[in-house]
Amino acid sequence: MTTPPDRDPSDLPTIRGSVPPLRAWLRTFVIGLCMGSADGVPGVSGGTIALIAGVYERLIAAITAVTPGRILRFLRALTPLDGGIDPRGAFAELLELDVWFLVALVAGVGTAVVIVTRIVHVASQETPALLFGFFFGLIAASAVVLLRSLTVDSPFQLGAGVVGFVLAFYVSGVSTSAADGGGLALVFVAGMIGVSAMILPGISGSLLLIILGQYTRMSTALSAFVDALIALATGGTVEDVTTTAVPVVTFILGGLVGLFTIARVVRRALDYNRRATLAFLVALVVGALRAPVVEVRGSVGFSTDVLVAFVAAAAVGAAFLLALDWYAVDLDLDKV
């Protein structure tokens, strides 16, 4: 291997020397588990968990460190264009992205999401009233928590809130039919929007997936993909894996695009007019209360027994999130 002339080999990091201690890996992995569990249910944000755990700024710094220039330098270091292939130089670019932190965090998030979506998949088939009632309670309580932290003091901020509410309320009403006819294009868009929201404190990406009618669909798709992978080890076919992987991969690609585009737009909007942007985002939560009702009405209808189960589950969901807010979360939106 030759080193390009503009790099001093003694300054380049080694893989072994850059690996963090096991304790740091485990801590980050556990934080990822908590974030993934939060991201897996509407009403709770993984970004809020990151804020509580003290890694939010580090996460945002790692995401914003991904730039076209850094990607180009990484790729050039793996080609002979600059005097030779330079694996250590390429790895140095990865370290600028805090790669070990991201690997451990993403591993934790991914593990939790797989587990949570499995539970959601089963519950959506067996007890949809309880599932979406619980979600309704989570969303309602999170709306209360967020509204309590929000200050609106101008007509423009009020207008932004009204637009957010109307948009979420309308889309929630048509989400069930859109989920069946949207195809992979809608899955890609859902990935862009959902993953972008997952890193914002207080705003749930899963909630936005419910608004778009993609939450149950993607929970089912991910469960089917995991089942196909497990079956492959016990005699299943590769075709089953590739077929079930299509919506999952489409969602992930959309999420990557959204993470480096929409997430940046939202951050700039927050910098430009923080309160108006937050009013819009919080109003999305309020308007989304229609979504669980639509899901239950479309799947089993609202008989007396279903209504009682829905209300009881909503009370449990609301109590859970309010308890979390009381004991653990002190979210000041003006500091986000």
Side-chain angles (χ1 to χ4, degrees), residues 31-41 46 49 105 108-113 116 206:
I31 292 174
L33 285 176
C34 295
M35 289 180 62
S37 299
D39 283 330
V41 295
I49 303 300
L105 194 72
V109 170
T111 300
V113 166
V116 170
S206 294

Side-chain angles (χ1 to χ4, degrees), residues 58-329:
R58 185 177 180 182
L59 173 61
I60 294 300
I63 292 172
T64 54
V66 180
T67 62
R70 178 157 286 123
I71 293 173
L72 181 61
R73 289 194 297 273
F74 172 77
L75 295 175
R76 288 179 68 90
L78 296 178
T79 66
L81 297 177
D82 290 326
I85 297 177
D86 183 17
R88 290 179 64 188
F91 184 69
E93 297 294 341
L94 290 180
L95 287 184
E96 293 294 324
L97 308 180
D98 208 353
V99 64
W100 295 125
F101 166 76
L102 288 178
V103 166
L105 194 72
V106 170
V109 170
T111 300
V113 166
V114 169
I115 295 172
V116 170
T117 52
R118 169 67 62 175
I119 296 172
V120 168
H121 171 64
V122 174
S124 66
Q125 302 294 320
E126 303 294 333
T127 57
L130 292 177
L131 174 68
F132 288 103
F134 182 73
F135 287 170
F136 184 92
L138 289 176
I139 296 168
S142 66
V144 170
V145 171
L146 292 169
L147 287 170
R148 188 181 62 199
S149 304
L150 182 66
T151 302
V152 177
D153 54 13
S154 75
F156 181 72
Q157 295 167 16
L158 180 61
V162 170
V163 170
F165 173 82
V166 171
L167 178 63
F169 189 83
Y170 172 75
V171 175
S172 297
V174 299
S175 62
T176 301
S177 59
D180 297 329
L184 292 178
L186 183 56
V187 171
F188 185 86
V189 171
M192 290 179 62
I193 296 174
V195 174
S196 298
M198 285 176 182
I199 64 170
L200 293 174
I203 307 300
S204 169
S206 294
L207 168 63
L208 297 184
L209 293 183
I210 283 185
I211 294 175
L212 294 170
Q214 299 299 299
Y215 183 81
T216 304
R217 177 184 183 180
M218 291 313 303
S219 298
T220 302
L222 182 58
S223 295
F225 175 61
V226 172
D227 287 342
L229 285 177
I230 295 174
L232 184 63
T234 58
T237 64
V238 175
E239 183 180 358
D240 288 340
V241 174
T242 55
T243 300
T244 56
V246 171
V248 176
V249 172
T250 301
F251 183 87
I252 292 174
L253 291 176
L256 291 174
V257 172
L259 198 61
F260 302 118
T261 55
I262 295 178
R264 293 173 185 265
V265 171
V266 172
R267 296 304 301 183
R268 289 188 179 182
L270 286 168
D271 292 338
Y272 176 74
N273 194 322
R274 181 176 301 272
R275 290 189 176 180
T277 304
L278 290 172
F280 175 82
L281 294 174
V282 173
L284 287 177
V285 178
V286 180
L289 284 169
R290 185 183 183 187
V293 177
V294 171
E295 293 284 352
V296 174
R297 187 173 60 198
S299 58
V300 295
F302 273 104
S303 64
T304 301
D305 291 342
V306 170
L307 182 61
V308 170
F310 183 89
V311 172
V316 173
F320 171 78
L321 193 135
L322 291 174
L324 178 65
D325 175 67
W326 178 267
Y327 288 107
V329 181

